[in-house]
Amino acid sequence: MKLVWKGNQKYNEDISKATIRTIEQPLHMSIHKYIGCGDELFFDCKELGINCVDLKTKDFDEAERKAMEVLDKRCKELMERVNTALSDYDK
């Protein structure tokens, strides 16, 4: 399944004009600027406890790639914790 980011650009404008990009499904995720941090982009995914992670880029296309790396890392961390909890439960 390819994730498609939606932007807040005006009707008939290219997504490159957006200041926020979001995905609603399968998780609510957003890439956005943060007040007081210039044009740097940040990533949120509340369901996974990812809050305002600095993606260290001003380019939305690069930010999308970096956000998926952050998401992948967080999912692996959570799965490791789940597996530990399950193995402890079986003892």
Side-chain angles (χ1 to χ4, degrees), residues 2-11 13-33 41-44 60-61 64 68:
K2 178 163 173 44
L3 299 176
V4 178
W5 293 90
K6 294 185 180 183
N8 67 338
Q9 72 276 13
K10 293 179 183 175
Y11 184 74
E13 283 188 337
D14 187 68
I15 194 167
S16 65
K17 301 287 186 187
T19 59
I20 299 170
R21 291 188 187 178
T22 60
I23 291 178
E24 298 294 328
Q25 294 293 328
L27 300 168
H28 183 268
M29 298 179 276
S30 66
I31 296 173
H32 55 88
K33 295 177 184 177
L41 295 168
F42 294 81
F43 175 59
D44 290 326
F60 267 106
D61 293 330
E64 288 179 11
M68 292 301 97

Side-chain angles (χ1 to χ4, degrees), residues 1 10-11 20 26 28-29 31 35-36 42 49 55 58 71 74 81 84 86 88:
M1 172 172 92
K10 293 179 183 175
Y11 184 74
I20 299 170
H28 183 268
M29 298 179 276
I31 296 173
I35 294 173
F42 294 81
L55 298 172
K58 298 174 183 179
L71 183 69
R74 179 67 175 147
R81 290 172 61 189
T84 298
L86 291 174
D88 289 347

